[in-house]
Amino acid sequence: MKNLIAKLVFIFIYLCVSGLLKAQVPLLSGGEFVVNKNECVSSIERERIVEKLKLNFSELKKTKTFVLNDDPIKFIWPVKPSATNTDTGVWAISGYVGHRLNFQNNMVDYNCGTKTYNSHKGLDIFTWPFGQLKQLKNEVYVIAAAAGIIIGKSDGQPDNSCSFCTNCQWNAVYIRHKNGPVSWYGHLKQNSLTTKSVGEPVEEGEYLGFVGSSGNSTGPHLHFEVYADIYASQLIDPYAGNCNTLNGNVSWWKNQREYNKPTINLLHTNFKPISIPACPGLETVNDRNVFNLSDTVYYTGYFVDQVVGNSITWRLYKPDGSLFNEHVQYFYSNLNSSYWSLYWMLPGNIEGYWTIELTYNETGQVAKHTFYRGNKPPVYSLQPGDWYDSRIWSTGVVPLESDEVFVHHHVAINDDVIIKSLRIGEKGKLIVTSQAKLKVLQ
């Protein structure tokens, strides 16, 4: 009888605990990532740049023939993640070209919105999330938005600016395109510019440099500015829109992006909340993919164009694939860039590979991230075709110091890692990038 009562008590307690875990409301933190804004190029500096480009072009015409082409120019997006970055997205927009309408005193953007400031003459694309780390690791580079001739380059300037400075100069590349327009690519990282010289051609999509924060800048971003000609006689806003007072409803993009495009840029797991200090401090990511049963696991998502009324759904799946818990989060403010983190209390007896899933309900975008939870980390065995990056092995987690790794085929190491032992098979090959370190304890 006592055994029966004990069993019933155990079952009752188990059901109560399971119910509480299932019914719990996750603890949320996060909010807006604020980008400080200021004019990227002073009027004095802009005049100096234009005069320099005019002089360069005059010299180039002595040895080159420039034929104008009447075909309208169409740009591709001027930033791109490097091969070492595996985030879903790496950028957000902090400011469009500013327009002043006759019946309004405030500046508006091409879409009649307020994503602009002062007399802003370009498009500002900032790296998100972790812009400082991305700059340090060269994870986002700038590419030519269209083919053309380099008519100006400036390099050698510091690239950790965080505020406006009157006499600051930036690192930049300037391209004249086939039908006359000129595009500016500013704030590039010091000593990262293309090796090509003034007068040499570049193709659409060709590397120009890494995103940096040189000149008048409050953080890593690209300032993309376009003029109708070498003399900067007419500023161009590449976006077509009702409030574009420069070139109206004529888009200069091959595929004009939506004004608001809600996007999940990254989803990952952390052993404690992230820290994003003021510029130029490096972000503390605290990411991890292997946890002990006693550890708290945080789930963090990073978003672009958060819109009032939209919602996201967090779902956590147990190792057997069943749903452990879910939570619908509604947005109550419009934010260019934001991040949100939550955690659930997890049962102390379920080991294996868990999956956190994040769905943007209005767009259908789904992000997933797998992590291991248990007191005995697994032995990793990489099969042919499996590749390593800074977050994911074939098993979905990054190894710890206690792990033994056997490499069947090629493995690229893109971030620092320490492991217990390493064996490489007959067809195996280990590639360590210049910015990564691999330490094998045995």
Side-chain angles (χ1 to χ4, degrees):
M1 185 67 178
K2 291 183 179 179
N3 290 337
L4 177 60
I5 294 175
K7 288 181 180 179
L8 291 174
V9 171
F10 173 80
I11 293 172
F12 176 76
I13 294 174
Y14 173 80
L15 291 175
C16 287
V17 172
S18 298
L20 288 172
L21 289 174
K22 180 68 177 178
Q24 67 179 305
V25 176
L27 297 178
L28 277 166
S29 63
E32 181 180 14
F33 174 71
V34 179
V35 177
N36 296 319
K37 303 174 182 178
N38 63 260
E39 186 56 46
C40 293
V41 186
S42 68
S43 57
I44 295 176
E45 179 63 12
R46 183 172 278 104
E47 290 178 7
R48 186 195 68 81
I49 292 171
V50 171
E51 289 303 313
K52 178 62 175 177
L53 296 182
K54 288 162 60 177
L55 178 62
N56 288 351
F57 188 59
S58 177
E59 290 298 314
L60 288 173
K61 287 195 296 185
K62 294 178 181 179
T63 57
K64 294 180 179 291
T65 301
F66 294 88
V67 179
L68 288 178
N69 190 318
D70 293 332
D71 294 337
I73 190 171
K74 295 292 182 181
F75 293 129
I76 63 170
W77 199 243
V79 297
K80 184 178 180 180
S82 68
T84 60
N85 182 276
T86 58
D87 297 355
T88 303
V90 296
W91 58 267
I93 294 174
S94 58
Y96 293 98
V97 173
H99 302 267
R100 191 180 300 280
L101 304 183
N102 293 332
F103 56 88
Q104 290 180 329
N105 292 323
N106 296 328
M107 300 295 292
V108 296
D109 56 45
Y110 75 94
N111 197 51
C112 307
T114 58
K115 293 183 181 181
T116 188
Y117 47 93
N118 300 330
S119 298
H120 194 234
K121 298 182 182 299
L123 170 66
D124 282 349
I125 306 168
F126 69 96
T127 45
W128 170 248
F130 311 129
Q132 297 291 344
L133 284 173
K134 282 179 167 57
Q135 176 178 326
L136 177 67
K137 296 182 178 181
N138 295 333
E139 290 189 338
V140 183
Y141 56 88
V142 178
I143 59 177
I149 301 292
I150 297 176
I151 59 168
K153 285 177 63 178
S154 56
D155 199 358
Q157 301 298 327
D159 54 23
N160 61 347
S161 297
C162 296
S163 61
F164 183 85
C165 48
T166 306
N167 297 317
C168 285
Q169 297 182 16
W170 62 8
N171 304 313
V173 176
Y174 309 86
I175 298 175
R176 182 187 184 275
H177 303 286
K178 60 182 180 181
N179 53 349
V182 176
S183 55
W184 297 15
Y185 306 80
H187 301 307
L188 304 185
K189 185 175 181 178
Q190 184 181 23
N191 299 326
S192 76
L193 274 59
T194 172
T195 57
K196 287 190 172 180
S197 303
V198 172
E200 291 193 75
V202 291
E203 298 299 322
E204 174 187 283
E206 187 170 329
Y207 171 87
L208 298 180
F210 285 108
V211 171
S213 188
S214 55
N216 290 326
S217 176
T218 58
H221 74 285
L222 168 68
H223 178 85
F224 180 65
E225 189 166 317
V226 182
Y227 288 97
D229 54 38
I230 191 71
Y231 308 103
S233 60
Q234 180 187 348
L235 179 66
I236 298 295
D237 185 343
Y239 286 89
N242 292 332
C243 286
N244 183 336
T245 60
L246 300 170
N247 42 289
N249 280 317
V250 178
S251 176
W252 284 47
W253 298 107
K254 281 189 174 182
N255 296 291
Q256 180 164 313
R257 294 172 180 264
E258 301 170 43
Y259 184 68
N260 281 320
K261 189 175 182 180
T263 305
I264 305 167
N265 269 15
L266 175 64
L267 172 65
H268 64 174
T269 48
N270 318 86
F271 61 90
K272 64 180 180 179
I274 65 168
S275 174
I276 303 179
C279 176
L282 290 177
E283 303 89 352
T284 304
V285 180
N286 296 325
D287 57 341
R288 181 189 291 172
N289 294 315
V290 175
F291 299 85
N292 293 323
L293 291 176
S294 59
D295 293 339
T296 299
V297 183
Y298 295 86
Y299 319 100
T300 309
Y302 305 82
F303 306 89
V304 173
D305 291 340
Q306 175 181 308
V307 177
V308 170
N310 283 2
S311 65
I312 54 176
T313 300
W314 302 79
R315 293 184 178 92
L316 181 61
Y317 294 93
K318 293 185 288 187
D320 64 4
S322 63
L323 179 67
F324 171 75
N325 218 328
E326 66 179 347
H327 173 71
V328 179
Q329 178 184 350
Y330 293 92
F331 293 143
Y332 299 100
S333 55
N334 296 322
L335 303 176
N336 287 348
S337 51
S338 58
Y339 65 98
W340 297 99
S341 182
L342 60 78
Y343 72 88
W344 281 290
M345 292 179 60
L346 301 179
N349 61 344
I350 302 180
E351 297 192 40
Y353 296 102
W354 293 65
T355 299
I356 182 69
E357 179 183 280
L358 185 56
T359 302
Y360 222 125
N361 296 321
E362 284 68 29
T363 66
Q365 181 188 0
V366 177
K368 295 182 180 182
H369 182 78
T370 300
F371 62 97
Y372 181 83
R373 186 169 175 266
N375 292 321
K376 295 181 179 179
V379 173
Y380 298 85
S381 184
L382 299 185
Q383 303 299 324
D386 291 336
W387 287 85
Y388 169 88
D389 61 43
S390 60
R391 295 184 180 88
I392 302 171
W393 287 65
S394 63
T395 53
V397 289
V398 173
L400 299 177
E401 292 184 16
S402 58
D403 293 335
E404 300 174 352
V405 175
F406 179 77
V407 177
H408 292 271
H409 200 57
H410 298 345
V411 177
I413 306 280
N414 300 322
D415 209 351
D416 295 354
V417 64
I418 301 175
I419 55 179
K420 180 179 179 181
S421 66
L422 174 68
R423 287 183 298 146
I424 300 179
E426 183 180 348
K427 296 182 179 179
K429 182 178 181 182
L430 193 70
I431 305 169
V432 182
T433 67
S434 60
Q435 286 139 9
K437 297 176 183 177
L438 171 67
K439 184 177 182 180
V440 181
L441 300 180
Q442 293 184 7

